[in-house]
């Protein structure tokens, strides 16, 4: 037989009876207290102290549901939570403090004492410009590997406000991937919008060559006068649309059309057209040798910046040639910011011959053309091409797989 203490129903009944008994006793005590107070008023009994306030009623016990455990569920014990440690913020400099500039250790190669402008901080142009201070590309097309970069020169970027980068380049290809098209332009510093002239020149030249290749024109059939004439007209049109004159957008230009596939070690013709002292150099053992482009005019033994022909004024003065390109050859198209260094700094020529014997990492390539040398502070642009048959990309690309959702 079960004990009443273990029977839930019995416990409920006992609790209810206990509450009733407490209520009855409370009523009896109150009645007795009232009788004694009445007697006290009548003088027959001493006055009584006031009745203490009744305590809280006993808790109501809900009847348990059949089939459940009436015992209370154990409560989880929580470990004490430590308050997070909030670091004290660093103290801000007082208002009106001055930032000091310390030139960091530069990864660019230095020749001689270097240029003072190289150590100065970069500035921004007076007006927002779509031309960034640095632009770079790397690519592989057929048997050709490409590194390309254009960098604002120290003499332009340290001015306040800075001068917008006036060099430009473009890369292109025909639809079949048989030819790589490279254009490099050097805007004249004497033209206030040389950046516009250079940008339009390279864009027009690459687009014109790609279109002519599409219609079946071979590279050896290209006309320098026709190609540069179309570029000159595009430059004039863009200048006129902005209210500029031809003198505001002067630039130099070099264009190359390179074959991307070879038969064994046989060379293929490479077409090059240019106007001005932008140039093409070939890697010749441990040195770079100029192969195309007008040389600097010599003035009493010093290289002069005087130019006889520029775009858009003299497109008919453009020249062209065919150069052999064979597996293992390396060539680079440069503006005079790099070309002058190759011609005038034997140490730089040898350095780039070693570093560019094979394709470097693109970040290293940018640093290379950002070399530091006194009196060499112009914008720098180089597009370097390596012809290799070790891993020719001559196969038709495999279509990408189609995924089902």
């Amino acid at each position: 037989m079960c004990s009443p203490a273990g029977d839930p129903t019995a416990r409920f009944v006992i609790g209810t009876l206990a509450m009733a008994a407490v209520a009855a006793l409370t009523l009896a005590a109150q009645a007795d207290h009232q009788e004694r107070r009445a007697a006290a008023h009548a003088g027959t009994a001493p006055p009584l102290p006031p009745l203490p306030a009744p305590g809280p009623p006993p808790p109501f016990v809900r009847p348990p549901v059949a089939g459940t455990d009436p015992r209370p569920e154990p409560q989880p014990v929580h470990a004490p939570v430590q308050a997070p440690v909030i670091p004290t913020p660093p103290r801000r400099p007082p208002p009106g403090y001055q930032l000091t500039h310390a030139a960091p250790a530069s990864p660019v190669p230095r020749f001689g004492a270097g240029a003072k402008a190289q150590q100065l901080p970069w500035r921004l142009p007076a007006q927002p410009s779509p031309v960034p201070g640095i632009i770079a590309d790397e690519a592989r097309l057929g048997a050709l590997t490409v590194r390309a970069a254009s960098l604002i020169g120290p003499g332009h970027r340290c001015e306040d406000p800075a001068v917008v980068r006036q060099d430009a380049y473009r890369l292109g290809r025909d639809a079949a991937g048989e030819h790589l098209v490279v254009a490099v332009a050097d805007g004249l510093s004497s033209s206030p919008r040389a950046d516009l002239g250079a940008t339009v020149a390279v864009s027009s030249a690459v687009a014109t060559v790609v279109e002519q290749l599409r219609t079946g024109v071979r590279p050896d059939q290209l006309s320098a006068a026709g190609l540069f004439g179309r570029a000159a007209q595009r430059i004039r049109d863009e200048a006129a649309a902005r209210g500029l004159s031809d003198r505001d957008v002067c630039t130099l230009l070099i264009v190359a059309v390179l074959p991307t596939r070879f038969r064994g070690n046989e060379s293929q013709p490479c077409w090059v057209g240019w106007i001005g002292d932008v140039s093409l150099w070939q890697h010749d053992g441990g040195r770079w040798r100029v192969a195309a482009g007008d040389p600097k005019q010599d003035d009493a033994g010093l290289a002069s910046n005087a130019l006889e022909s520029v775009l858009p004024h003299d497109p008919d003065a453009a020249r062209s040639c065919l150069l052999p390109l064979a597996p293992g050859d390396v060539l680079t198209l440069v503006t005079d910011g790099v070309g002058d260094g190759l011609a005038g700094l034997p140490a730089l020529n040898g350095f780039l011959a070693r570093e560019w014997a094979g394709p470097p990492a693109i970040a290293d390539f940018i640093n290379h053309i950002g070399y530091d040398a006194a009196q060499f502070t112009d914008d720098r642009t180089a597009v370097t091409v390596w012809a290799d048959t070790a891993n020719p990309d001559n196969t038709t690309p495999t279509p990408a797989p189609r995924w089902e959702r």
Side-chain angles (χ1 to χ4, degrees), residues 32 249 253 275 346:
D32 181 66
V249 289
L253 177 66
I275 187 169

Side-chain angles (χ1 to χ4, degrees), residues 139 141 144-146 170-174 177-182 209 213 256-260 270-271 383-385:
L141 182 62
L144 304 183
T145 300
V146 183
R170 286 292 185 276
L171 305 175
R173 51 167 286 177
D174 61 347
E178 297 285 344
H179 297 92
L180 171 70
V181 184
V182 179
V209 171
L213 294 175
V257 184
L258 294 79
T260 64
C270 166
W271 184 90
V383 178
T384 306
V385 181

Side-chain angles (χ1 to χ4, degrees), residues 68-85:
T68 61
D69 189 355
R71 293 173 295 177
E73 295 183 358
Q75 298 297 321
V77 178
H78 298 282
V81 179
Q82 296 182 353
V85 179

Side-chain angles (χ1 to χ4, degrees), residues 129 352 372:
S129 171
L352 292 182
D372 183 10

Side-chain angles (χ1 to χ4, degrees), residues 235-378:
I235 295 172
R236 288 192 179 98
D237 292 344
E238 292 293 337
R242 291 167 172 77
L244 303 173
S245 69
D246 291 355
R247 296 181 63 86
D248 294 331
V249 289
C250 293
T251 186
L252 310 176
L253 177 66
I254 186 169
V255 184
V257 184
L258 294 79
T260 64
R261 294 181 174 88
F262 303 92
R263 298 181 181 89
N265 291 324
E266 295 181 2
S267 64
Q268 300 288 334
C270 166
W271 184 90
V272 184
W274 71 91
I275 187 169
D277 58 10
V278 281
S279 53
L280 183 148
W281 297 67
Q282 291 180 321
H283 192 275
D284 187 8
R287 308 291 297 174
W288 286 99
R289 175 178 56 83
V290 65
D294 294 340
K296 288 278 189 180
Q297 295 187 20
D298 189 76
D299 183 10
L302 297 176
S304 170
N305 288 326
L307 297 166
E308 293 183 351
S309 304
V310 299
L311 291 178
H313 295 289
D314 310 296
D316 293 338
R319 302 170 57 191
S320 65
C321 69
L322 290 175
L323 298 175
L325 182 66
D329 287 349
V330 185
L331 55 82
T332 185
L333 290 84
V334 299
T335 59
D336 63 353
V338 178
D340 287 355
L342 292 176
L345 294 174
L348 173 65
N349 192 307
F351 173 82
L352 292 182
R354 294 189 302 273
E355 295 296 323
W356 294 357
I362 189 63
D364 292 334
F365 188 80
I366 295 172
N367 286 332
H368 294 161
I369 68 170
Y371 69 92
D372 183 10
Q375 300 182 355
F376 292 84
T377 60
D378 199 4

Side-chain angles (χ1 to χ4, degrees), residues 131-158:
V131 180
I134 299 176
I135 186 172
D137 286 287
E138 66 173 79
R140 173 88 180 181
L141 182 62
L144 304 183
T145 300
V146 183
R147 298 288 186 269
S150 185
L151 172 68
I152 184 173
H156 288 165
R157 69 190 184 219
C158 71

